[in-house]
């Protein structure tokens, strides 16, 4: 089966609590996992997650790599860079590129479920509504071979509402 549209769930909460196979880290190209979602994943999974990501650097924006998920229980962490260097502001196009790369890698690796946080909305400075629109657009446009379920998850209620609004506009 190919060309399937994806089922989308929106959840407010921790990416570490989502029932899925693989989670996404909105990374930087160097693989450093400092604050935000990256820091949460590193603290839960262990330093080996970051060590492996850094060993695969540089990871260009628009590409993604998968590493161990350490002690988290997930099958892996997909590192999809939204920025070249840690801590820089980015454009919304980087959100779309990173989202597309994460979906494609998960699908290529045979995963059926993935969870993505708000991409580029922390340090990257992309407005919630713009990031949500770009992410939902990529998810809606993606035609999967294996992937079936995408969970958009964030602790930030404003990001969750932005996704819900973007999903309504896409219908």
């Amino acid at each position: 089966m190919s060309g399937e549209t994806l089922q989308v769930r929106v959840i407010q909460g921790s990416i570490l609590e989502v029932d899925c196979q693989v989670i996404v880290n909105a990374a930087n190209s160097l693989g450093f996992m400092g604050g935000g979602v990256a820091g949460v994943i590193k603290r839960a999974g262990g330093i080996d997650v970051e060590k492996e990501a850094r060993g695969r650097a540089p990871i260009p924006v628009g590409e993604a790599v998968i590493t161990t998920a350490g002690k988290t229980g997930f099958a892996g962490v997909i590192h999809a860079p939204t920025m070249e260097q840690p801590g820089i502001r980015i454009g919304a196009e980087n959100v779309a590129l990173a989202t597309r790369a994460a979906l494609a890698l998960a699908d290529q690796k045979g995963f059926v479920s993935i969870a993505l946080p708000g991409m580029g909305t922390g340090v990257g400075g992309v407005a919630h509504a713009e990031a949500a629109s770009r992410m939902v657009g990529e998810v809606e446009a993606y035609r999967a071979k294996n992937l079936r379920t995408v969970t958009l998850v964030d602790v930030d209620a404003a990001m969750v509402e932005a996704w819900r609004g973007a999903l309504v506009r896409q219908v």
Side-chain angles (χ1 to χ4, degrees):
M1 292 172 54
S2 67
E4 295 290 320
T5 56
L6 298 167
Q7 176 188 351
V8 181
R9 302 183 306 162
V10 177
I11 297 174
Q12 184 176 349
S14 170
I15 196 165
L16 297 174
E17 297 171 0
V18 175
D19 180 17
C20 68
Q21 292 176 298
V22 64
I23 59 175
V24 175
N25 171 31
N28 58 71
S29 293
L30 302 179
F32 287 105
M33 297 175 72
V37 173
V40 168
I41 294 170
K42 181 170 87 172
R43 283 189 296 280
I47 191 70
D48 288 343
V49 178
E50 181 183 57
K51 282 182 182 174
E52 192 176 341
R54 288 177 57 194
R56 307 280 297 281
I59 311 157
V61 173
E63 293 184 21
V65 299
I66 187 166
T67 66
T68 179
K71 301 174 235 168
T72 66
F74 296 102
V77 174
I78 291 178
H79 302 264
T82 58
M83 60 185 64
E84 290 82 13
Q85 301 285 329
I88 64 171
R89 295 285 206 206
I90 62 165
E93 180 60 23
N94 286 19
V95 171
L97 291 169
T99 301
R100 186 179 320 143
L103 295 172
L105 183 57
D107 198 33
Q108 173 195 338
K109 295 292 184 185
F111 294 112
V112 297
S113 59
I114 186 173
L116 293 98
M119 304 284 276
T121 60
V123 175
V126 178
H128 290 106
E130 184 66 20
S133 176
R134 295 296 185 110
M135 290 181 73
V136 167
E138 291 298 326
V139 171
E140 294 288 330
Y142 193 80
R143 294 298 171 254
K145 294 182 179 97
N146 299 297
L147 202 56
R148 294 290 170 259
T149 305
V150 174
T151 301
L152 303 174
V153 57
D154 209 292
V155 295
D156 186 344
M159 189 69 232
V160 171
E161 288 308 309
W163 280 322
R164 288 184 176 138
L167 283 164
V168 168
R169 286 189 295 279
Q170 293 287 335
V171 174

